[in-house]
Structure formats: C-alpha cells, structure tokens
C-alpha cells in the first residue's frame, strides 16, 4: 500500500469554512502538520489571478480541494449556471496552480451524483460515464466529472499525484440549514425541530419518500480523506461511504425520533424525488483499510446538538 508521509507537510484546505473543509481541518489539526487556509478576501478561488498569486506565495505541499458551490436538489435545479461555472472555475484554478507549484499531492472531492441515473447498485467506481445523468443535479455532476478528469489528465501527462474521491450524501456540523437550499438531513432537522417547538401535527417531506440514499457523517469523511492522502495514489476515483442506504421515509422517521417530534409525516409529491437510489460500492476503500464508524442515529443526534448549541435555528 502506498505510504505518503503527511508529517510536517504544509497542507492547504480549500473551502475551510464549509461543512467538508472544516471537518477536514479539525482532523488535520490533530496531526503534526502545518495547516494553510485563506478567507475569501485573501484568496478568491473563482479568480485565476488570485489563486495563482496566493499559491506562488504560500507554496503548499499538499492540497485538499473541498471548495465547491453545493446545495440540495432544489438549489441545484434553481442555479444551474452557478453550479456548473463556479465549480469549473474553482477546480480549474486550484488544480492548474497545484501543477505549476509542484504540489506533491492533491485530493479532489467530487460526489456520488457523478454516476449515471440508472447505475446498478451498489455503484462501483467503474460505472462512471456509462449512462445518462440525473437531470436535477447534472450541472454539478458535469463540473465534478470534469474535475476528476483534469486530475487524471495531470497524472497521465505530467505524472502528478492528484487523486479524486467521490463521497456519498454528507451531513454534520457546519452543514447549510437553509429551509429550501439545504440537503435533506439539515432540511429535516430544521423542519422537525420547528414543528416540535410550534406544536404542529404534521411535517412535510419532499417527494414520495421512496428514494433511497446513503448518508455519511462528515467526520467520517474527514478521516477517509486523511487515509486516502496517505494510502491512495491511483488514476481512478475512489468512493467514500458507509455502503448502507435507507429510504427517505425511514430516514424522516429517524430524524423525527432524534428530534422528539411526535406528529405525522406528509409527503409533498409536487417536489422532485431525484435519483431513485444512490448507494456506493465501498469495497475499494474498505480494502485499503478504511471503514465508516459513525452510525446514522448517533451522527444525527450529534448534528442536532451541534445546531442547538450554535443557534442555527
Ligand atoms: P440529492 O441526493 O442530490 O437528491 O440530495 P437531497 O439531499 O437534496 O435530496 C435527497 C432526497 O431527499 C430527495 O429524494 C429529496 O426529494 C428528498 N427530500 C425530502 N425532503 C427534503 C427536503 O426538505 N430538502 C431536500 N433537499 N430534500 C428532501
């Protein structure tokens, strides 16, 4: 197994304020490394010149590219230009500057939505580009596919150690809890919490409740990223997940229990279901020694407690 030594390296986490980037920073801060982050005023990732000059000046040895325009099914559908163009710009700027500054290792983070809409379950890495994409998140998916291809291109043409990982649906501290633009875990935590406080009889959940999703706590994702930096160096992207999925209806019941809401659930079938199912095959990452550790019930409980402690609602 490849062993890349992170000790004493200067590691730049792009996107350190987001849910993913902040979790990776928390995990990296426990290691004897030197962490580099930059706020928007100092480094605008959308701007090529800003990225090149910051990178020339700060010379990171390792980069984790966790910066992206992200959002749930409604946000993706509503802001196609932002999801496609901003993500392309961010990743092109960072990956090109990484090559120019001889960065030793770069980890690019994508998403399980890069896989075809009708992919067989569980989804293996090799199913990439074997069928049409889900319409609701195609903008984001196309950008992420371009990003992983750019990492492959740099590896092929210049021998760069640029790797890509595709996490399943994520949740945890610092998630976006917006009622409309969030992903389902944060959306439902908020909705059930507000319903409990207001004494409502029922709570609305989008779609039919039938789609199935796999959920990974972001702290588990962070530990997977560190594992991959140390032990993975291949052309092909690698999946990160639990390998287990749950229907949206069972998920909503679990959230309702965690929050302590005693009313009923009603389904708003005018809202889209998106992909029918999306469970990753995680045998490849399991084989190199990493497994998810946080159960969904524990992860949702700690995320709810985090949101309460941080006055999110
Ligand atoms: P997706 O995996 O890209 O579809 O991500 P989402 O987290 O946005 O949605 C996952 C599933 O949860 C979809 O089937 C949604 O229709 C369903 N869902 C149910 N209620 C909600 C909600 O309030 N917000 C979101 N974002 N999705 C919801």
């Amino acid at each position: 197994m490849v062993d890349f030594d992170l000790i004493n390296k200067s590691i730049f986490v792009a996107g350190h304020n987001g849910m993913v980037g902040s979790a990776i920073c928390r995990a990296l801060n426990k290691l004897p490394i030197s962490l580099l982050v930059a706020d928007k005023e100092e480094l605008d990732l959308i701007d090529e010149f800003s990225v090149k000059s910051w990178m020339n000046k700060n010379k990171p040895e390792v980069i984790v590219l966790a910066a992206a325009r992200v959002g749930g099914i409604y946000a993706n559908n509503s802001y196609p230009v932002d999801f496609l163009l901003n993500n392309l710009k961010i990743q092109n700027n960072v990956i090109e500057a990484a090559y120019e500054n001889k960065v030793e290792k770069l980890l690019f983070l994508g998403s399980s939505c890069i896989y075809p809409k009708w992919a067989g379950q569980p989804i293996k890495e090799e199913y990439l580009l074997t069928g049409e994409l889900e319409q609701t998140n195609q903008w984001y998916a196309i950008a992420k596919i371009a990003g992983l291809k750019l990492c492959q291109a740099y590896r092929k043409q210049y021998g760069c150690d640029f790797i890509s990982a595709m996490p399943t649906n994520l949740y945890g501290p610092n998630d976006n809890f917006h009622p409309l633009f969030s992903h389902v875990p944060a959306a439902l935590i908020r909705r059930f919490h507000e319903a409990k406080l207001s004494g409502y009889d029922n709570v609305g959940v989008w779609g039919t409740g039938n789609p199935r999703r796999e959920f990974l706590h972001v702290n588990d994702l962070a530990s997977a990223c560190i594992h991959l930096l140390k032990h993975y160096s291949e052309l092909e992207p690698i999946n990160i997940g639990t390998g287990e999925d749950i229907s949206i209806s069972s998920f909503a019941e679990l959230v309702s229990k965690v929050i302590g809401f005693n009313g009923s659930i009603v389904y708003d079938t005018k809202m889209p279901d998106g992909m029918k199912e999306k469970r990753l095959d995680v045998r490849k990452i399991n084989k190199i020694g990493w497994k998810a550790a946080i159960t969904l019930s524990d992860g949702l409980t700690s995320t709810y407690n985090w949101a309460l402690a941080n006055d999110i609602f």
Side-chain angles (χ1 to χ4, degrees):
M1 198 163 36
V2 198
D3 252 326
F4 181 82
D5 194 359
L6 290 176
I7 308 294
N8 293 332
K9 290 274 191 296
S10 82
I11 307 181
F12 168 45
V13 176
H16 68 291
N17 285 321
M19 171 175 70
V20 170
S22 59
I24 294 171
C25 288
R26 287 195 300 275
L28 283 172
N29 267 329
K30 294 183 185 143
L31 304 177
I33 57 110
S34 141
L35 184 65
L36 279 173
V37 294
D39 284 331
K40 202 160 179 210
E41 305 74 59
E42 183 189 346
L43 167 63
D44 180 2
L45 294 168
I46 302 274
D47 177 39
E48 187 179 350
F49 178 75
S50 169
V51 174
K52 289 204 166 166
S53 50
W54 188 89
M55 216 73 110
N56 271 327
K57 195 170 140 210
N58 291 280
K59 296 269 179 229
E61 293 166 302
V62 177
I63 296 180
V64 180
L65 181 36
R69 173 69 198 251
V70 295
I73 195 164
Y74 185 82
N76 237 289
N77 236 348
S78 314
Y79 301 108
V81 175
D82 296 2
F83 277 81
L84 183 56
L85 193 59
N86 290 1
N87 284 322
L88 284 171
K89 282 185 182 174
I90 293 169
Q91 66 206 31
N92 286 349
N93 291 342
V94 175
I95 295 169
E96 187 183 17
Y99 161 68
E100 288 170 355
N101 287 282
K102 302 190 172 49
V103 164
E104 294 168 34
K105 185 135 201 164
L106 177 143
L107 168 60
F108 173 70
L109 289 169
S111 151
S112 59
C113 73
I114 60 159
Y115 292 115
K117 183 182 171 91
W118 304 113
Q121 305 287 313
I123 307 172
K124 292 190 175 66
E125 286 87 351
E126 70 220 42
Y127 295 168
L128 178 68
L129 293 174
T130 56
E132 69 175 292
L133 295 168
E134 156 63 31
Q135 294 291 303
T136 50
N137 55 28
Q138 58 175 318
W139 322 103
Y140 183 72
I142 291 278
K144 290 294 180 182
I145 292 170
L148 81 86
K149 286 287 167 196
L150 190 59
C151 289
Q152 292 184 334
Y154 272 109
R155 179 177 288 271
K156 276 198 173 233
Q157 193 171 336
Y158 297 113
C160 300
D161 191 1
F162 293 175
I163 57 171
S164 299
M166 300 301 133
T168 192
N169 287 39
L170 301 167
Y171 69 98
N174 291 320
D175 203 349
N176 167 11
F177 282 80
H178 189 280
L180 266 183
F181 301 133
S182 55
H183 286 102
V184 67
L188 294 192
I189 289 174
R190 170 186 283 280
R191 213 170 294 146
F192 281 108
H193 169 76
E194 289 174 350
K196 181 176 83 172
L197 292 194
S198 311
Y200 293 160
D201 294 335
N202 55 56
V203 160
V205 170
W206 297 355
T208 59
N210 297 329
R212 301 185 68 84
R213 291 291 184 274
E214 174 188 1
F215 296 101
L216 181 73
H217 190 280
V218 74
N219 289 355
D220 266 342
L221 173 79
S223 85
C225 289
I226 291 176
H227 194 82
L228 292 175
L229 285 171
K230 291 180 181 168
H231 303 299
Y232 190 71
S233 178
E234 283 176 34
L235 184 75
E236 299 309 327
I238 185 163
N239 291 339
I240 309 178
T242 62
E244 285 166 24
D245 66 357
I246 180 172
S247 68
I248 292 299
S249 56
S250 301
F251 180 73
E253 280 161 27
L254 180 60
V255 177
S256 153
K257 195 168 142 216
V258 164
I259 306 296
F261 170 75
N262 297 317
S264 54
I265 296 170
V266 285
Y267 289 94
D268 177 359
T269 51
K270 282 193 240 45
M271 294 304 275
D273 267 346
M275 222 149 130
K276 201 169 154 276
E277 46 186 351
K278 212 178 0 170
R279 176 164 64 98
L280 293 178
D281 187 324
V282 291
R283 278 176 293 183
K284 198 166 158 183
I285 192 165
N286 291 165
K287 231 182 237 165
I288 60 167
W290 181 87
K291 251 192 165 54
I294 303 169
T295 64
L296 190 50
S297 163
D298 285 353
L300 287 171
T301 305
S302 61
T303 304
Y304 180 43
N305 289 335
W306 176 88
L308 290 174
N310 286 276
D311 288 330
I312 294 299
F313 310 115

